[in-house]
Each structure stands twice: as C-alpha cells, then as structure tokens.
Amino acid sequence: MPLPQENRYTYADFLAGTEEDREELIEGHFRMMSGPSKAHQEAVGEIYAQLRNHLRGKKCKAYIAPFDVRLFERDGDLPDDVDTVVEPDVMVVCDAAKVDERGIKGAPDLIVEVLSPSTQSHDRVTKFNLYRRAGVREYWLVDPESRVVQSFILQNGQYVATASSGSDSLSVHVLEGCIIDLGDVFPQE
C-alpha cells in the first residue's frame, strides 16, 4: 500500500518497505519506479560487465542496482536522519569505507543511469541535480533508443557535458585506462 505523499519519509521508512517495492526516496518523498525493459537491462548488464572486468584486482568496485545509495548520509547519521536514497543502474566506488551491507553512503565516483521513457525526465533533471550537489564526479545518461551516451564530468561544482554515439568507445574519466565499448552496449539488431 503506498504511503501518503504529504508526509516526509526517511531511510528508516524506506527500509520498512517490502523487497517488491521499486522506489527511491527523494528529499523525503517516495518515487515509484517502473520495471526495466529488455534494452535497458542489456545496456546495464554490458556496462557493468565492462566496468567489473576493468576493475578486477583494483581498489575501485562496480555495483549494480538495486543497491541503496544514500547520497547525503554522513558519519553518525541514523536511518531516521537520511531523506534521500537513490537506486542508480550502475555505480563505481573507489573508497571502500563508503560501502556497507545496505549500499553506499555518500557519492559514488561514477553513476550510470540507463534512460527509460518513464524515467527520462527524472534522470535528466532531478537526479542530475542531486548527483551534482552530492559531488558525484562523473554521471552518464545512456539512451538505448537513440544509442547515445551523455557523459558529465564534475568541475568546480558544475557538470561539463560530452557526448558519444553508439558505435564509439567512451573513456571513463574517473578510471584511468577504462574505455567502454559502446558497440557492445548498443549491439546491432
């Protein structure tokens, strides 16, 4: 049963939900998420696999949704103190102290969101601004339909955009020597 949205909720409320709930908590308000499409899942899986393979034996680690990212949680915060929890499709964290059994505390180094028609506006506006404010160093928006990846690099508190098409390779700026083959992310039908 959905909770009334006039109330403000916390991570404690989020944890009380069921595993069937697909939702995020944005500044105290729940946002339901729809199930992903086949193209979405294939793009997420391929990006995660390429990142994981590159990071094997290194200190940075790749994670895949669902994995709670508590962007603004600080040391000593309790679940009742946290009002924003996102579920990015893919994330990379280079500071092992940020990772616990429930997810990630603070900003990952890289977040990848694969766009769906129902999430596009949320990913391009709400999450873009949350990730910038939290200090996510690199943010990718992957559009399987148009076969384009937009990469945003955080510089002086603002994102600077670059773009790449589906047949190119794309360098991960926060991971030295890591290049994602977009031809595998967007395979020819």
Side-chain angles (χ1 to χ4, degrees):
M1 168 185 260
L3 297 169
Q5 287 299 296
E6 61 273 0
N7 295 330
R8 290 193 60 84
Y9 298 97
T10 67
Y11 190 47
D13 300 309
F14 185 91
L15 292 172
T18 67
E19 288 193 25
E20 293 81 39
D21 292 341
R22 287 187 40 81
E23 54 196 12
E24 294 180 314
L25 181 65
I26 308 293
E27 297 178 334
H29 300 283
F30 282 104
R31 182 182 189 286
M32 296 301 294
M33 298 168 28
S34 62
S37 68
K38 176 180 173 265
H40 179 280
Q41 287 298 84
E42 289 174 352
V44 166
E46 184 60 35
I47 292 167
Y48 171 73
Q50 289 186 43
L51 287 168
R52 186 194 66 229
N53 288 338
H54 175 79
L55 294 172
R56 195 164 269 131
K58 297 181 173 124
K59 76 173 192 163
C60 299
K61 300 291 178 208
Y63 299 93
I64 194 166
F67 204 49
D68 299 351
V69 177
R70 292 127 30 220
L71 286 172
F72 303 105
E73 183 175 326
R74 297 178 306 253
D75 287 339
D77 280 351
L78 299 172
D80 281 328
D81 300 323
V82 177
D83 73 353
T84 300
V85 182
V86 292
E87 299 283 342
D89 292 313
V90 180
M91 59 232 88
V92 171
V93 178
C94 296
D95 179 356
K98 289 184 175 183
V99 182
D100 61 24
E101 290 303 311
R102 292 185 182 145
I104 299 166
K105 177 177 69 175
D109 296 277
L110 167 69
I111 286 181
V112 177
E113 294 283 8
V114 178
L115 299 175
S116 299
S118 65
T119 65
Q120 194 161 152
S121 174
H122 183 63
D123 292 338
R124 289 186 184 281
V125 179
T126 304
K127 284 185 165 182
F128 179 94
N129 287 315
L130 285 172
Y131 296 160
R132 181 189 52 76
R133 242 181 47 222
V136 174
R137 295 171 42 213
E138 186 168 357
Y139 178 39
W140 286 15
L141 288 168
V142 178
D143 188 343
E145 192 171 301
S146 66
R147 303 171 59 84
V148 170
V149 176
Q150 289 180 286
S151 172
F152 300 93
I153 310 305
L154 192 64
Q155 294 180 356
N156 300 319
Q158 298 299 320
Y159 278 133
V160 177
T162 62
S164 185
S165 68
S167 61
D168 296 333
S169 295
L170 185 60
S171 294
V172 180
H173 293 274
V174 298
L175 300 173
E176 185 176 334
C178 184
I179 298 172
I180 300 300
D181 182 349
L182 297 178
D184 289 339
V185 173
F186 306 124
Q188 298 296 328
E189 297 288 322

